[in-house]
Amino acid sequence: MRKEQLIQHKTPFYCYDLELLTQTLDVALLHANKHSYHIHYALKANTNDRILNLIQSKGFGADCVSGNEVKKAIEIGFEPNQIAFAGVGKSDEEILIGLENNIFTFNCESVEEIVVINELASQKNKIAKIALRLNPNVDAKTHKYITTGLEENKFGINSWELENLLAQLPSWKHIKITGLHFHIGSQITSMTPFKNLCIRVNELNTWFLERGVQIEHLNLGGGLGIDYQNPTENHIPDFELFFGVFKQFLEPKPHQEVHFELGRSLVANCGSLISKVLYIKKGIKTNFAILDAGMTELIRPALYQASHHIENLISNSPETEFYDVVGPICESSDCFGKRIKLKETKRGDFIKIHSAGAYGEVMTSRYNLREQNDVVFVNG
Ligand SMILES: *Cc1c(COP(=O)(O)O)cnc(C)c1O
């Protein structure tokens, strides 16, 4: 975005590059299609309408984690038979939304949840298609707040519960198990956890087959990370490598479909948060650049100790300086980064926080009664 365009907009605002999103979606599809893999877009990463419309128009399915996300996906035009509904705590109302719309699957996270879905499906005289979300006990080696595939996490059904689950299966007349589902975490940049996941999935898949349970699809979840440090060099994640690992190590049975649920890797890099410097405050050890955006606009640094690449869009200074880049919110965790090297920065400069397209706008809050942000699209 050029300087003249920038300064027309009230800061802070989210800026999305629809051309980069299009390219990213096309590359992901290219490499998934080679192996006939299906991709569901994980709505929770970004639910902006224009972004959803573009993703839907490319033929992606949807992965939802609330009843409202299921409704939103249908409103946007995603096919109900391409909607997976995950989440460890689905309310009865949310389950009914899924049932009424005949979605692709409920990804079920506990025996108790299956009992409830069976009961509600029976009231509606329907058969609910479910995938069992299994806890593979594979370490994603990512931040502990975004690790989901270990036995200590709240997600998924643990292996020691499976015998008991299968014993109850015949009594659930309104349930059909169609899939096995896994999701080990997010922002995973090493392929080793995915390889370990494949090995575990192969074992579990065989275990079910041996017990006569027909599994139609394997859903490997999402979690592919992006390069937050060098977003301009690596602007599109390595989907070829990612899907290649599954091609190499996953052993689906004949006729089993393979599904993925990607969020961050599809949308993170197309979005940025643009903010203005309010003040430069000289500290004892460091200078603070105080922005008009804070954790209310982008909570990832405060929530997961995430770091985003930060750039001064305006300064022409040949000098660089180190700054602690912070927001205006009354919380010490309201900090985008410590000792960030920027061109010499002054009040009024525009700051770009890169790779904010996933878990950015969707997590904004009105804390401190902050204003809602503008959204700007480029290259539409
Ligand atoms: C969040 C989530 C995803 C998407 O994760 P990304 O890291 O954004 O790819 C996929 N599946 C489930 C069940 C999730 O909760």
Side-chain angles (χ1 to χ4, degrees):
M1 197 187 254
R2 296 214 315 280
K3 216 183 264 187
E4 308 80 71
Q5 287 175 292
L6 263 182
I7 50 185
Q8 291 169 11
H9 296 286
K10 183 174 166 292
T11 55
F13 62 90
Y14 268 92
C15 178
Y16 294 112
D17 180 342
L18 295 177
E19 175 59 34
L20 178 56
L21 177 59
T22 305
Q23 285 175 22
T24 308
L25 297 174
D26 288 344
V27 174
L29 284 175
L30 173 76
H31 295 295
N33 288 344
K34 279 200 300 205
H35 313 305
S36 305
Y37 292 164
H38 302 265
I39 312 178
H40 300 252
Y41 166 62
L43 261 78
K44 74 178 192 280
N46 191 314
T47 46
N48 187 287
D49 277 10
R50 278 187 76 175
I51 290 185
L52 291 179
N53 280 322
L54 185 53
I55 294 173
Q56 186 277 329
S57 73
K58 295 274 177 187
F60 286 80
D63 167 49
C64 302
V65 290
S66 72
N68 282 345
E69 281 191 4
V70 172
K71 283 192 195 162
K72 179 82 184 178
I74 290 168
E75 242 171 67
I76 293 285
F78 287 94
E79 294 291 335
N81 67 8
Q82 291 193 61
I83 296 179
F85 183 7
V88 355
K90 303 175 190 76
S91 70
D92 294 17
E93 291 75 18
E94 292 180 308
I95 292 167
L96 287 169
I97 292 169
L99 284 172
E100 277 153 16
N101 289 291
N102 301 316
I103 59 171
F104 172 61
T105 53
F106 292 90
N107 294 343
C108 293
E109 307 224 6
S110 67
V111 170
E112 213 170 4
E113 180 191 340
I114 301 173
V115 171
V116 170
I117 295 178
N118 182 61
E119 178 59 35
L120 293 170
S122 131
Q123 288 168 17
K124 293 272 158 191
N125 213 5
K126 295 206 173 196
I127 307 283
K129 288 181 284 179
I130 69 167
L132 302 174
R133 176 170 181 174
L134 304 181
N135 188 335
N137 201 26
V138 166
D139 192 350
K141 299 246 184 326
T142 180
H143 191 273
K144 65 177 189 300
Y145 287 180
I146 48 176
T147 292
T148 56
L150 288 174
E151 283 165 359
E152 69 208 51
N153 301 128
K154 69 179 174 184
F155 300 98
I157 300 167
N158 289 310
S159 50
W160 62 82
E161 299 170 281
L162 291 179
E163 292 282 2
N164 169 38
L165 188 157
L166 283 197
Q168 296 181 65
L169 192 55
S171 67
W172 297 324
K173 301 284 184 238
H174 292 266
I175 291 289
K176 179 168 192 258
I177 297 185
T178 58
L180 300 181
H181 173 235
F182 305 84
H183 175 68
I184 57 173
S186 200
Q187 185 48 22
I188 302 167
T189 49
S190 154
M191 291 301 117
T192 311
F194 293 121
K195 177 188 162 187
N196 294 339
L197 173 62
C198 290
I199 293 165
R200 189 72 187 115
V201 172
N202 294 340
E203 288 167 11
L204 287 161
N205 193 15
T206 302
W207 189 91
F208 278 90
L209 186 75
E210 284 168 0
R211 282 155 187 79
V213 184
Q214 289 299 321
I215 301 295
E216 295 167 14
H217 77 274
L218 302 174
N219 181 341
L220 283 298
L224 174 62
I226 63 146
D227 187 347
Y228 278 101
Q229 308 318 315
N230 301 297
T232 30
E233 284 141 69
N234 298 321
H235 59 302
I236 297 179
D238 195 342
F239 292 107
E240 183 172 20
L241 178 70
F242 174 72
F243 290 120
V245 168
F246 292 90
K247 181 66 197 167
Q248 189 179 352
F249 295 104
L250 187 70
E251 294 162 0
K253 312 293 176 197
H255 313 301
Q256 278 184 338
E257 288 182 356
V258 179
H259 292 242
F260 292 87
E261 305 165 333
L262 297 177
R264 183 192 314 273
S265 52
L266 297 175
V267 295
N269 266 338
C270 77
S272 45
L273 176 62
I274 310 291
S275 171
K276 214 157 50 178
V277 177
L278 293 175
Y279 304 104
I280 298 293
K281 184 171 166 182
K282 300 270 180 208
I284 296 170
K285 286 193 190 136
T286 179
N287 298 322
F288 292 97
I290 302 171
L291 307 186
D292 64 0
M295 63 193 287
T296 42
E297 283 63 50
L298 180 64
I299 202 177
R300 298 191 64 259
L303 190 59
Y304 319 117
Q305 300 166 317
S307 69
H308 289 250
H309 182 62
I310 302 174
E311 182 189 1
N312 187 325
L313 294 175
I314 298 280
S315 174
N316 294 319
S317 170
E319 306 292 327
T320 58
E321 284 257 16
F322 287 100
Y323 299 90
D324 282 10
V325 179
V326 302
I329 308 300
C330 303
E331 299 286 341
S332 295
S333 58
D334 184 30
C335 174
F336 290 114
K338 291 193 187 298
R339 279 191 70 74
I340 304 294
K341 196 176 181 182
L342 296 175
K343 286 186 204 156
E344 195 182 14
T345 295
K346 55 181 197 326
R347 173 175 163 83
D349 286 355
F350 279 75
I351 299 290
K352 173 172 175 173
I353 302 177
H354 288 252
S355 316
Y359 309 108
E361 193 195 340
V362 279
M363 286 198 189
T364 55
S365 81
R366 300 271 335 265
Y367 182 44
N368 290 192
L369 289 184
R370 300 272 293 170
E371 301 271 335
Q372 198 169 346
N373 307 295
D374 282 345
V375 176
V376 174
F377 295 91
V378 293
N379 301 325

